[in-house]
Amino acid sequence: MSRNGHTITTTRIHIMALDGIVNVNSLFTLALFLGLSWYPTAPDPTATLVTDTSCDASSSIAEDLIAFHVYSFSSFLFSSLIASAVKQTIKRFDNHKDDDSVGSVRSAPLAHVNLAALRAGTLVSGFGSVFGCGFLMMALMDLVQIKLGVLGCGNLHTFAAVIPLGVGSDKGVKFVRLHYSNESRKSMQPSKYLKIALFVKKWPHRSLAGGLERHALTLHLALAKRGHELHIFTTSPSNSSFPRYPMSNLYFHLSKPTAAGYLDQAFVWKQFQTQNSTGKAFDIVHTESVGLFAYSVTEPDQLSELLRNPDEQQSYALTERITKVVEEVRFFPHYAHHVATSDHAGDILRRIYMIPEERVHVILNGVDEEIFKPDPAKGEAFKQKFGVSKSRSLVIGMAGRLVKDKGHPLMFEALRQMFVENGTFRQNTIVLIAGDGPWGARYRDLGANTLVLGPLEQAQLASFYNAIDIFVNPTLRAQGLDHTLLEAMLSGKSVMSTRVASITGSVIVSTETGYTFSPVVASLKNALYRVWEDGRRVLELKGQASRQRGLQLFTATKMTAAYERLFLCISNDNSKREDYCRYQSPFN
């Protein structure tokens, strides 16, 4: 406004707006502190109202809850600082305070200010508050999902609590859509629920599990959590209780194993027929106990023969294997579909076993990304527990069955020679070995540089991976993907393995993630010396790249989604015009 030939600006309305922003920010900041104080950080079954375990919020949602609190606080703080700075600038140049002759409001503080700068400062401060409110709404949505179940489950109470947060706010609606989209990727319900029969020779119990059993456990528990009806036909344990799972759609049909430890086919077939005629018939019949067994062991037999000492007696098993390979090739076409766990295994099924292309499906193994992830604190605690000195500059890790075809004669000989010929390597290196088998005793004979830990529970195994600098898998088998390699990658560790087709074709595809070696002692020694020379910094960078590849390819979530899509496709009912074989994006 203009008076007495001077141009002045009334700033009271701007100061009132800035005061309002600061007051609202203060109120919301208090709410943030209260929310962080009252939220239970430790898992507490009484702190949630979710009854369906498949709708439980994942740990990532709990992490987002804390993160959004911090983002919201930062936004409110930024907004308040800008508002206070603008107010102080106005008051500093206020030369007309208490001038009753000027202004439309009595005693209004007046100052000569840059109006554009004033508006810009107020606008920036306002935007800070808006973003703070948005992040606060995101935090509240996460809290609702922790208490009432994830949005992807479609729970009415969850939506009733979340929707009002977005009413009257376009930002809120967008946040709801973003949250629902993210959860849909993780927890979208299947198009239809399947009745699945699984045959597996042995169900994993505690730490005593091989690769097939661990794959069966990870995959089929995940499918059950997705709502599918699972019937598992397996042998009963001889000297321990069978594990229990709190899922009403998961059924176990136990039978006494044969003398050789296999399923009693006649008895299990009767069990299957009973369940197949009860309610609806099975949509999918799946077995985890079939692999390229005869073919897969011919290559280890060849390598073992090459590694055999002249003093050892020659084995004639290789000749017997060839006959069994021929029998496998003749029988395998009886299966309607084959799932290969590596690109190389898929190629063998197509070329050697002559299975038609459309009946071979490659689905890479996956491991639980919620369990196997970087956690340096757990790694340090693990090393302290087992007395690993901080002076050790290289901690090598191995895990799994300590048997011949897993390459342990090769690894044992390489370590034995290196400890003898290089005192510095012996002094600075320690090898942690998780697992059991005949070669465990021989590793112990190497002295204080090797620590055989025996079989570890899954939680202990996650800490084990975090305690090592590099994971070594000296396997001689070229077909499947060992879970231990994938677990180490998801844990953020660099990996080293034999240069066999399944590993170089699917896992260690470049030097960015790890090291490979030929299955001879000299090559393995050279690779270990190269790791030692590269040092921890290089190994950490390779470990980061390794984890990124693992998250892209080897998570249990992605593996389960692929199997579910395949099972839905196989179960297509043309009479109902189902078309599950055609991929449908969940984001259309």
Side-chain angles (χ1 to χ4, degrees), residues 192 280 283 571-580:
K192 72 173 183 180
K280 76 168 186 173
D283 298 297
S571 70
N572 254 349
D573 188 341
N574 294 328
S575 65
K576 297 180 181 179
R577 296 183 178 180
E578 294 178 345
D579 191 14
Y580 296 117

Side-chain angles (χ1 to χ4, degrees), residues 86-234:
V86 173
K87 280 179 58 179
Q88 292 303 318
T89 300
I90 293 173
K91 291 183 177 180
R92 180 180 177 185
F93 295 103
D94 179 11
N95 297 321
H96 302 279
K97 191 173 181 179
D98 298 328
D99 184 354
D100 292 341
S101 63
V102 184
S104 57
V105 182
R106 183 173 181 84
S107 299
L110 303 173
H112 292 282
V113 297
N114 185 319
L115 190 57
L118 178 59
R119 288 174 176 171
T122 306
L123 188 63
V124 170
S125 181
F127 270 119
S129 290
V130 169
F131 278 105
C133 291
F135 287 126
L136 181 57
M137 278 192 289
M138 292 285 275
L140 289 173
M141 290 176 199
D142 283 332
L143 182 61
V144 168
Q145 291 184 96
I146 291 171
K147 297 290 186 180
L148 301 179
V150 295
L151 289 167
C153 280
N155 187 303
L156 178 62
H157 298 291
T158 304
F159 279 103
V162 166
I163 289 175
L165 292 172
V167 173
S169 170
D170 182 62
K171 283 285 183 184
V173 173
K174 288 181 179 178
F175 280 128
V176 172
R177 289 177 61 188
L178 174 63
H179 234 64
Y180 185 75
S181 175
N182 287 339
E183 281 309 308
S184 295
R185 298 184 187 187
K186 301 175 186 176
S187 308
M188 180 175 290
Q189 296 304 292
S191 305
K192 72 173 183 180
Y193 294 103
L194 303 172
K195 184 177 180 181
I196 302 171
L198 166 68
F199 294 91
V200 60
K201 182 177 71 174
K202 184 173 64 176
W203 189 253
H205 181 61
R206 301 176 68 86
S207 58
L208 304 176
L212 286 175
E213 291 84 13
R214 290 164 73 183
H215 183 271
L217 174 73
T218 303
L219 172 60
H220 292 89
L221 285 186
L223 288 172
K225 290 179 180 179
R226 299 274 295 150
H228 300 291
E229 183 179 333
L230 268 293
H231 291 259
I232 298 173
F233 300 86
T234 188

Side-chain angles (χ1 to χ4, degrees), residues 228 393 554:
H228 300 291
S393 61
F554 306 126

Side-chain angles (χ1 to χ4, degrees), residues 15 18 22 84 155 178 223 225 281 307 354 404 421 425 465 506:
I15 292 179
L18 294 169
V22 172
S84 298
N155 187 303
L178 174 63
L223 288 172
K225 290 179 180 179
L307 295 171
M354 296 174 285
K404 189 175 182 180
E421 67 191 23
F425 179 84
Y465 289 121
S506 301

Side-chain angles (χ1 to χ4, degrees), residues 494-560:
S494 179
V495 289
M496 175 194 289
S497 187
T498 323
R499 196 178 294 121
V500 292
S502 58
I503 303 299
T504 57
S506 301
V507 185
I508 310 176
V509 296
S510 71
T511 57
E512 185 182 21
T513 57
Y515 307 80
T516 58
F517 55 89
S518 299
V520 293
V521 173
S523 179
L524 175 53
K525 287 173 59 179
N526 288 336
L528 288 170
Y529 276 131
R530 190 163 64 251
V531 167
W532 181 44
E533 292 166 0
D534 284 347
R536 275 186 173 154
R537 180 54 187 160
V538 172
L539 293 179
E540 287 173 0
L541 293 175
K542 289 180 182 289
Q544 293 170 11
S546 184
R547 173 166 168 79
Q548 290 306 310
R549 181 166 180 80
L551 290 173
Q552 290 173 357
L553 296 175
F554 306 126
T555 65
T557 301
K558 293 186 177 182
M559 177 186 70
T560 303

